[in-house]
Amino acid sequence: MAIWFITGCSTGFGHETALAALARGDKVIATARNPDDVKDLADKGALVIALDLSWPEEKIQEAVKVAIEPFRSIDILFNNAGVNIIGALEEVSTKQARALFDVNFWGHISVTRAILPYMRAQKHGTIGFSGSMLGWTGMSCVSTYTATKWAIAGLVLCLREEVKDFGIKVTVIEPGYFRTQVLGAAKPLFPEEGMEEYKVALDQLRTLVSTVNGKQVGDPEKAAKVIVEALTGEGAFEGKEVPARLVLGADAVGLVEGMLDLQKRSLEEWKSVSASTDFTVAE
């Protein structure tokens, strides 16, 4: 039996993963900005607490400490919570961009810092971060959100090395398009008054969202099953090291394969120029 701490449990991967963990008999601390949104998890035995990743770090860490107290340890942390915003770099205000990073990046850091001491003391633990296939590429007018996912991927690659000697495993889960509420969120995704210069690009994204939403091929329940197996080291992951970057969805696999091929071709094309900047070795 594992003890989980999962952020962002009101919908999507957080909710489905909490359900999957509870179904296997694990203990789950399920967080949401509004605990009323996860009453069904409480009914199934989860400890539900209020947690908003936009809170100051001290408040986040105090909430985590209080939640963990009854268990005295945490085996698995799933940093799942996140928010989205669409708009060109010029359209998204600095205030909006900082608010996005506060949740998608700094909030995860605050929770992780609060839980790492428990994992170090017990000499084991697994930390999963919610990333995106956009952490491998770029898309017009989603620059701020995409930047948070690249930042998380970079954080994971470093943190993985920092804590491996303590028996702690770290991975970032990078899904493609799944049938969650991310594209139909209560908060508006698009700027109320966009710039005319970016209207064509934004209209294309509006069309994409309206076309894709509700028809995504990714199944959140199947994804949750894989996430639970990956973070518990069971099923397909038994006896194997969890990958640093776990891509989910056939669309994400195709995108990453294409990006790796493109990067390899680009590196090969410019290799001689790149290498020409070294000091000349004296003969």
Side-chain angles (χ1 to χ4, degrees):
M1 181 188 71
I3 302 172
W4 292 67
F5 191 104
I6 307 175
T7 65
C9 289
S10 58
T11 62
F13 294 125
H15 190 266
E16 295 298 334
T17 302
L19 287 174
L22 289 167
R24 67 191 294 273
D26 291 345
K27 299 292 185 182
V28 175
I29 301 171
T31 81
R33 282 177 291 185
N34 183 359
D36 289 340
D37 293 338
V38 288
K39 283 183 177 179
D40 65 316
L41 298 180
D43 292 341
K44 293 180 183 297
L47 171 61
V48 172
I49 68 165
L51 183 66
D52 188 333
L53 295 193
S54 67
W55 288 347
E57 182 169 12
E58 295 77 12
K59 187 176 180 179
I60 290 176
Q61 293 196 348
E62 183 58 31
V64 172
K65 181 179 179 181
V66 170
I68 292 176
E69 193 63 31
F71 304 98
R72 307 298 297 175
S73 68
I74 289 292
D75 299 305
I76 301 168
L77 165 61
F78 183 24
N79 284 305
N80 165 75
V83 291
N84 193 2
I85 189 170
I86 295 177
L89 185 64
E90 288 186 275
E91 295 175 308
V92 177
S93 69
T94 298
K95 182 178 179 180
Q96 289 174 312
R98 289 186 183 278
L100 196 70
F101 265 88
D102 281 343
V103 174
N104 290 7
F105 184 72
W106 290 110
H108 293 316
I109 287 180
S110 295
V111 174
T112 303
R113 282 175 170 165
I115 288 178
L116 271 175
Y118 294 90
M119 290 185 171
R120 282 192 292 102
Q122 67 198 19
K123 301 295 183 184
H124 73 83
T126 301
I127 304 173
F129 288 83
S130 179
S132 168
M133 67 177 180
L134 291 181
W136 289 86
T137 186
M139 180 182 289
S140 176
C141 294
V142 199
S143 52
T144 308
Y145 172 79
T146 299
T148 67
K149 297 306 179 180
W150 279 79
I152 285 293
L155 171 68
V156 165
L157 294 176
C158 295
L159 182 61
R160 186 178 169 93
E161 294 300 311
E162 290 176 4
V163 299
K164 64 182 180 181
D165 290 340
F166 303 115
I168 302 172
K169 304 169 185 176
V170 187
T171 184
V172 56
I173 296 157
E174 301 177 309
Y177 289 119
F178 277 76
R179 207 168 296 179
T180 66
Q181 298 180 27
V182 66
L183 297 181
K187 290 185 177 180
L189 288 174
F190 293 88
E192 292 183 7
E193 296 182 10
M195 294 173 60
E196 183 64 30
E197 290 85 347
Y198 298 104
K199 184 178 184 304
V200 172
L202 278 176
D203 285 346
Q204 290 174 346
L205 275 176
R206 291 180 199 275
T207 300
L208 174 64
V209 168
S210 62
T211 301
V212 169
N213 191 34
K215 303 180 183 66
Q216 299 96 321
V217 297
D219 183 337
E221 288 188 25
K222 290 183 178 180
K225 180 177 181 294
V226 172
I227 291 169
V228 168
E229 289 184 352
L231 300 185
T232 59
E234 297 181 355
F237 299 85
E238 186 173 358
K240 299 180 180 179
E241 183 180 6
V242 65
R245 309 183 74 164
L246 178 59
V247 177
L248 296 183
D251 55 347
V253 171
L255 181 143
V256 173
E257 286 179 335
M259 290 306 302
L260 290 174
D261 288 342
L262 180 63
Q263 289 174 3
K264 186 174 181 180
R265 290 197 302 270
S266 178
L267 183 65
E268 188 64 31
E269 179 181 1
W270 296 101
K271 182 165 63 175
S272 61
V273 174
S274 300
S276 70
T277 58
D278 292 349
F279 281 107
T280 301
V281 178
E283 296 183 359

